[in-house]
């Protein structure tokens, strides 16, 4: 029995020892990450102040950094300050031979850091930046991944307000090109070169919504700059925005057309209705001036003429012309009254003079020569009317047309009424001609810019 007991104790001890050894041989790879980080980023093995070597560990070649951007949102595009705000995820990737490590058979895919100062970083900056900040809620939105091959991936979420020089000659039928420029601040192209990532260097969120613009497309390019201290690597992405015209059609163009048409109502009012015509002209003029000042308040004071300036200027001229037309009608009306009074007085004086002569003749010899003269007057008029009709038959077509216009205008006895009638036709025709010229010109120029 003692022999069996001793064998059982020995087997039990062997099983316990084998389980303890298996537990000891089970590797904790989270602990290995700490060991690897201490090994590759230790003070004696890595210095973040020294840039990595070039391709294949060559010391003389520059370090190549590949850039990738994902646009999350574009919050606003401001015309007055010529700037736009954007939020994006910025990624850059490069290779640092000093950061290679053992992946333990693929168990360590990459190491993650949140402190950018632990490794060497490219000194990239945004050259057209006005304002910017990182995001720190709830934790800083940044990470660094170190791969076993020594490749380093840096990713961060950034919000920037960037300058966007605009050409507003075709406003609001324009397209604007806003750029995002990234360059090296201190390292020249001998030490650091930026490249766009080969596959999809720029991505845009699918549900991108802008209130008054549409993102048509974007282009990536290189923009290296040479200064007195050397040549610096630079990348840029051009965002092409098309302005949504429907907003301006409803808010600007249709109200201006309505104001111009309302100013023409005064042509149909009686010329004696002075308060109504004056108040209508002044009200439309002030409303149009307020509309113009409100439009210009949201735009920068540029030195050239914009398309909206041409439109508002012409509309303001039409409204002002309608007010001046009433001034001319009022002046013509007073002239007509003065002429009618003078003709009336002249007729009265002629009648009095003729009556006096007739009375004097009757007193002298009792004959009535005025009756004979009046008897022959219809014959003279008939002869003159026949000659006039004969001349009109042989008259050229243009002269006959002008006579038709004169005969049509003769239906309106006063000059003031004729001015109103001519204005009712002239103002709408000229405004329609202006619309055809305006839209054909600027839409054609817009198509040329697209090409």
């Amino acid at each position: 029995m003692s022999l069996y007991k001793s064998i059982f104790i020995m087997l039990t001890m062997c099983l316990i020892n084998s389980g303890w050894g298996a537990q000891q041989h089970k590797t904790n790879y989270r602990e290995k990450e700490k060991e690897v980080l201490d090994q590759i980023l230790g003070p004696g093995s890595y210095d973040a102040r020294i840039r990595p070597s070039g391709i294949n560990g060559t010391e003389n070649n520059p370090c190549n950094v590949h850039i990738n951007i994902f646009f999350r949102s574009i919050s606003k595009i401001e015309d007055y300050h010529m700037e736009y705000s954007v939020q994006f995820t910025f990624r850059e990737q490069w290779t640092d031979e000093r950061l290679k490590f053992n992946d333990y058979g693929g168990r360590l895919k990459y190491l993650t850091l949140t402190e950018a100062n632990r490794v060497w970083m490219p000194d990239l900056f945004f050259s057209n930046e006005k304002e910017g900040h990182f995001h720190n809620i709830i934790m800083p939105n940044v990470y660094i991944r170190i791969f076993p091959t020594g490749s380093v991936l840096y990713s961060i979420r950034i919000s920037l307000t960037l300058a966007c020089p605009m050409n507003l000659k075709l406003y609001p039928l324009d397209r604007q090109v806003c750029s995002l420029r990234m360059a090296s601040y201190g390292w020249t192209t001998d030490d650091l070169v930026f490249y766009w990532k080969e596959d999809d260097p720029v991505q845009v969120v699918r549900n991108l919504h802008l209130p008054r613009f549409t993102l048509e497309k974007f282009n990536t390019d290189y923009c290296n700059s040479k200064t007195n201290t050397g040549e610096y690597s630079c990348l840029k992405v051009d965002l092409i925005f098309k302005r949504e015209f429907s907003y301006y059609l409803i808010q600007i163009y249709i109200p201006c057309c309505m104001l111009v048409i309302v100013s023409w109502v005064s042509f149909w009012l009686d010329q004696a209705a002075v308060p109504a015509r004056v108040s209508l002209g002044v009200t439309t003029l002030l409303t149009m001036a307020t509309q113009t000042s409100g439009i210009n308040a949201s735009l920068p004071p540029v030195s050239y003429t914009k398309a909206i300036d041409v439109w508002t200027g012409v509309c303001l001229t039409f409204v002002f012309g309608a007010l001046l037309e009433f001034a001319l009608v009022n002046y013509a009306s007073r002239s007509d009254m003065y002429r009618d009074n003078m003709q009336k007085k002249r007729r009265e004086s002629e009648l009095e003079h003729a009556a006096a002569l007739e009375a004097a003749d009757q007193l002298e010899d009792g004959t009535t020569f005025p009756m004979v003269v009046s008897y022959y007057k219809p014959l003279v008029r008939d002869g003159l009317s026949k000659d006039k009709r004969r001349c009109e038959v042989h008259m050229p077509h243009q002269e006959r047309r002008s006579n038709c216009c004169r005969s049509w205008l003769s239906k309106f006895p006063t000059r003031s009424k004729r001015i109103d009638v001519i204005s009712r036709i002239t103002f709408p025709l000229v405004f329609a001609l202006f619309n055809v010229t305006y839209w054909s010109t600027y839409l054609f120029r817009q198509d040329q810019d697209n090409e």
Side-chain angles (χ1 to χ4, degrees):
M1 291 295 296
S2 60
L3 179 62
Y4 290 117
K5 187 176 180 179
S6 60
I7 294 173
F8 176 76
I9 293 172
M10 290 177 62
L11 291 174
T12 304
M13 292 296 295
C14 289
L15 290 174
I16 293 173
N17 290 332
S18 62
W20 177 257
Q23 289 181 358
Q24 284 190 337
H25 287 296
K26 186 178 180 180
T27 306
N28 188 344
Y29 289 100
R30 301 287 75 80
E31 293 291 335
K32 290 296 181 182
E33 286 185 10
K34 177 182 179 303
E35 295 177 4
V36 171
L37 286 173
D38 293 338
Q39 178 183 356
I40 62 177
L41 297 178
S45 58
Y46 187 85
D47 193 343
R49 298 172 297 178
I50 302 174
R51 75 166 181 87
S53 303
I55 300 175
N56 298 324
T58 54
E59 298 292 339
N60 296 327
N61 291 334
C63 177
N64 297 334
V65 179
H66 297 271
I67 304 295
N68 165 242
I69 294 178
F70 173 66
F71 287 99
R72 294 181 174 272
S73 66
I74 300 175
S75 57
K76 65 177 180 178
I77 302 175
E78 198 170 322
D79 298 317
Y80 190 84
H81 296 99
M82 292 192 178
E83 63 185 22
Y84 71 106
S85 299
V86 61
Q87 182 188 127
F88 58 92
T89 299
F90 174 76
R91 307 183 188 98
E92 52 186 352
Q93 192 166 5
W94 67 94
T95 299
D96 194 340
E97 299 284 343
R98 298 171 295 174
L99 297 178
K100 288 183 176 180
F101 62 88
N102 182 13
D103 62 351
Y104 293 95
R107 295 298 185 91
L108 294 181
K109 295 182 178 180
Y110 52 81
L111 305 175
T112 302
L113 298 176
T114 57
E115 299 174 0
N117 57 356
R118 296 288 302 274
V119 297
W120 177 88
M121 295 288 299
D123 59 343
L124 181 141
F125 77 105
F126 300 95
S127 58
N128 59 334
E129 172 208 353
K130 285 188 174 181
E131 295 179 357
H133 66 273
F134 301 133
H135 294 265
N136 297 317
I137 301 174
I138 298 175
M139 294 292 292
N141 298 166
V142 58
Y143 68 79
I144 299 174
R145 289 178 180 174
I146 304 175
F147 294 89
T149 57
S151 178
V152 181
L153 173 63
Y154 175 72
S155 177
I156 189 170
R157 189 162 70 99
I158 307 174
S159 290
L160 295 177
T161 299
L162 302 162
C164 178
M166 298 182 181
N167 185 355
L168 299 173
K169 288 183 178 180
L170 297 180
Y171 177 91
L173 301 168
D174 58 334
R175 283 176 171 80
Q176 300 299 335
V177 180
C178 296
S179 299
L180 173 63
R181 293 174 174 265
M182 300 161 286
S184 173
Y185 190 82
W187 298 98
T188 63
T189 52
D190 295 333
D191 298 313
L192 180 63
V193 178
F194 292 120
Y195 292 98
W196 285 112
K197 186 181 176 183
E198 294 182 0
D199 299 329
D200 293 333
V202 176
Q203 296 99 32
V204 180
V205 66
R206 289 184 178 180
N207 299 324
L208 180 64
H209 176 71
L210 297 173
R212 288 185 292 176
F213 287 88
T214 301
L215 179 61
E216 282 194 331
K217 59 181 180 179
F218 52 85
N219 301 318
T220 57
D221 201 358
Y222 296 88
C223 54
N224 291 5
S225 61
K226 292 183 179 180
T227 64
N228 293 332
T229 56
E231 181 179 1
Y232 297 90
S233 182
C234 174
L235 301 179
K236 73 171 182 175
V237 53
D238 293 330
L239 305 173
I240 301 174
F241 297 101
K242 178 185 177 182
R243 199 181 298 271
E244 288 291 343
F245 180 69
S246 58
Y247 168 82
Y248 300 93
L249 180 65
I250 297 172
Q251 297 293 327
I252 297 176
Y253 284 93
I254 292 179
C256 289
C257 284
M258 294 174 65
L259 286 173
V260 173
I261 294 172
V262 167
S263 68
W264 298 342
V265 175
S266 63
F267 304 153
W268 300 86
L269 298 178
D270 186 59
Q271 58 190 11
V274 177
R277 297 188 69 164
V278 170
S279 60
L280 180 62
V282 172
T283 302
T284 53
L285 183 63
L286 292 177
T287 307
M288 190 66 217
T290 304
Q291 180 85 352
T292 304
S293 62
I295 294 169
N296 292 327
S298 61
L299 296 174
V302 295
S303 59
Y304 48 81
T305 302
K306 304 180 289 294
I308 196 66
D309 294 336
V310 176
W311 176 263
T312 55
V314 172
C315 291
L316 189 62
T317 303
F318 270 94
V319 174
F320 184 67
L323 186 60
L324 291 182
E325 188 270 349
F326 171 68
L328 182 61
V329 166
N330 195 351
Y331 174 77
S333 176
R334 287 185 283 109
S335 299
D336 291 338
M337 292 176 62
Y338 177 78
R339 184 184 62 184
D340 292 341
N341 291 331
M342 293 301 294
Q343 288 179 354
K344 185 177 180 181
K345 290 180 181 179
R346 191 180 299 111
R347 279 194 226 100
E348 291 176 355
S349 63
E350 288 177 354
L351 290 174
E352 292 175 357
H353 183 66
L357 290 176
E358 184 178 357
D361 292 339
Q362 289 178 356
L363 289 173
E364 288 180 359
D365 52 5
T367 58
T368 57
F369 291 101
M371 295 296 293
V372 176
V373 173
S374 63
Y375 176 77
Y376 285 103
K377 276 183 180 178
L379 296 177
V380 175
R381 288 197 191 98
D382 291 341
L384 290 174
S385 61
K386 289 179 181 179
D387 294 337
K388 186 175 181 182
R389 283 196 295 269
R390 289 172 188 167
C391 293
E392 288 179 354
V393 172
H394 299 285
M395 203 176 281
H397 181 68
Q398 292 182 352
E399 294 184 5
R400 283 198 303 241
R401 183 180 299 174
S402 64
N403 287 335
C404 291
C405 294
R406 289 175 184 175
S407 63
W408 177 69
L409 289 175
S410 64
K411 296 179 181 179
F412 307 100
T414 60
R415 287 186 298 172
S416 59
K417 190 64 176 178
R418 292 174 187 172
I419 294 173
D420 272 342
V421 171
I422 294 173
S423 299
R424 293 173 190 173
I425 301 173
T426 305
F427 273 72
L429 285 178
V430 176
F431 190 68
L433 180 62
F434 161 71
N435 272 272
V436 172
T437 306
Y438 178 87
W439 295 113
S440 60
T441 300
Y442 283 103
L443 291 177
F444 177 72
R445 290 180 61 182
Q446 186 185 31
D447 294 337
Q448 280 187 333
D449 291 346
N450 292 341
E451 294 177 0

